Amino acid sequence: QQQVKQSPQSLIVQKGGISIINCAYENTAFDYFPWYQQFPGKGPALLIAIRPDVSEKKEGRFTISFNKSAKQFSLHIMDSQPGDSATYFCAATYREYGGSQGNLIFGKGTKLSVKP
Amino acid sequence: DTGVSQNPRHKITKRGQNVTFRCDPISEHNRLYWYRQTLGQGPEFLTYFQNEAQLEKSRLLSDRFSAERPKGSFSTLEIQRTEQGDSAMYLCASSFPDRGQWEQYFGPGTRLTVT
């Protein structure tokens, strides 16, 4: 059972455009939602993360929008650049007994290509 | 802060051989995770440690896999009697939840190829 569903699988955007990647989750116990960027042959790099008590978080050109009632969250990349071409993963985790976080559960990834 | 490091970066082995990978987390991070990533997929959780204690293991972690973190610092992941299906990127991540910091920082990974 896939607990985090990510779409689209691939995305082509023109330079300067907006890239939008969507994720949906099933487990209402999830309490933390990060996005990771991964280049070929490298480990995932944390981009931005959100908790369900806010509906939006922005860091530079990256924005997370969160809809708790719909159990959906999305990543928006404004003014997309060729250097943003990478695979993006959404993830989720839950609050364990004792207050700490559990392991991350990842979506299957979105391969973004930004054309010059 | 030197980040999470992993060694080796690449490992090619023959089926049936044993392999061991090492992960050095960010200093002071008391939680360390191991994930596995196959081509075209997101990372999948294998196991994690809080200091030296192994607190959770995924059902993906068969009996051929063992992980240790003897002094609560670096960790090793050993795969015995490797199979072709073990070919994947093995990723390590660390975090410091005791400070309310849930961010997990990943290393560059070890790419395992079983021939």
Side-chain angles (χ1 to χ4, degrees):
Chain A
Q1 181 184 11
Q2 186 185 357
Q3 295 195 55
V4 179
K5 294 184 179 180
Q6 184 172 345
S7 63
Q9 188 174 2
S10 62
L11 181 61
I12 299 174
V13 173
Q14 291 295 318
K15 178 182 175 181
I18 302 172
S19 304
I20 301 174
I21 305 170
N22 300 298
C23 282
Y25 63 96
E26 299 165 2
N27 190 342
T28 55
F30 286 154
D31 201 33
Y32 174 75
F33 302 88
W35 284 89
Y36 284 85
Q37 178 190 58
Q38 187 176 32
F39 293 103
K42 307 292 184 182
L46 179 64
L47 264 181
I48 186 172
I50 197 167
R51 292 275 173 88
D53 52 346
V54 296
S55 60
E56 186 174 283
K57 184 175 181 180
K58 183 176 180 179
E59 290 184 2
R61 296 186 294 111
F62 301 94
T63 300
I64 300 179
S65 297
F66 187 84
N67 186 330
K68 188 174 182 178
S69 61
K71 294 188 287 186
Q72 294 176 347
F73 58 110
S74 60
L75 176 69
H76 295 234
I77 305 174
M78 311 300 288
D79 187 27
S80 299
Q81 299 296 312
D84 296 331
S85 298
T87 299
Y88 292 81
F89 294 95
C90 62
T93 190
Y94 50 89
R95 188 177 295 274
E96 293 178 320
Y97 176 80
S100 186
Q101 89 274 36
N103 56 281
L104 289 169
I105 297 161
F106 284 83
K108 290 192 173 184
T110 297
K111 187 173 183 179
L112 171 66
S113 297
V114 181
K115 300 300 184 184
Chain B
D1 182 357
T2 57
V4 178
S5 62
Q6 292 187 247
N7 287 289
R9 294 293 310 279
H10 303 275
K11 179 70 176 179
I12 300 174
T13 191
K14 293 184 178 180
R15 188 178 57 183
Q17 297 295 305
N18 299 344
V19 294
T20 300
F21 311 138
R22 175 176 169 132
C23 170
D24 288 87
I26 294 171
S27 61
E28 298 185 347
H29 278 197
N30 58 353
R31 188 164 283 199
L32 186 150
Y33 296 82
W34 285 99
Y35 293 83
R36 182 174 70 183
Q37 185 177 26
T38 54
L39 201 62
Q41 300 295 316
E44 294 177 294
F45 168 71
L46 292 178
T47 187
Y48 81 80
F49 292 83
Q50 176 86 6
N51 299 311
E52 65 274 11
Q54 188 172 17
L55 295 188
E56 189 173 342
K57 292 191 288 187
S58 161
R59 59 180 173 78
L60 293 175
L61 209 67
S62 76
D63 291 344
R64 297 183 297 105
F65 288 69
S66 62
E68 294 183 341
R69 194 183 183 197
K71 296 182 180 179
S73 55
F74 72 92
S75 176
T76 59
L77 178 68
E78 181 182 17
I79 308 175
Q80 296 182 327
R81 305 181 303 281
T82 53
E83 302 173 356
Q84 287 188 324
D86 296 332
S87 295
M89 175 82 88
Y90 289 84
L91 294 162
C92 175
S94 69
S95 68
F96 203 150
D98 289 1
R99 291 183 180 172
Q101 297 168 358
W102 283 29
E103 296 85 354
Q104 291 187 26
Y105 297 95
F106 283 81
T110 295
R111 168 72 66 187
L112 173 66
T113 302
V114 181
T115 61

